[in-house]
Amino acid sequence: MLKTAMPIGDHMVLQREQEILIWGSYDGTEDVILRFHGAEVKAKRDGETWQAVFPPMLASTGETLSITAGEE
């Protein structure tokens, strides 16, 4: 099951012009892929935990963070 860490969720606010760290857990074997504000990153895995870092971005509103792994 693909999960994000507790502070990550709907309506979160991210710091502009700073790296954005997103992390969670996943018990599957597929790559965890994250998409946000036109950028795509592949998470680094360590057992069932994963983390991804987006590069610094300019301020924006109404963006959607997409996290996928296999069929999830």
Side-chain angles (χ1 to χ4, degrees):
M1 179 172 210
L2 179 61
K3 295 181 183 179
T4 57
M6 190 63 138
I8 300 165
D10 292 343
H11 310 292
M12 67 182 178
V13 176
L14 302 171
Q15 181 68 42
R16 70 176 183 215
E17 299 175 9
Q18 299 290 321
E19 288 185 336
I20 302 167
L21 175 64
I22 307 290
W23 70 100
S25 63
Y26 178 55
D27 59 2
T29 58
E30 295 88 356
D31 290 336
V32 177
I33 305 296
L34 297 88
R35 294 175 186 87
F36 179 69
H37 196 61
E40 179 177 295
V41 295
K42 182 172 125 177
K44 293 180 182 176
R45 306 264 314 262
D46 183 13
E48 289 188 8
T49 61
W50 58 265
Q51 73 174 19
V53 178
F54 284 98
M57 298 179 182
L58 298 176
S60 66
T61 60
E63 297 288 337
T64 299
L65 171 63
S66 168
I67 305 172
T68 58
E71 297 294 316
E72 295 189 55

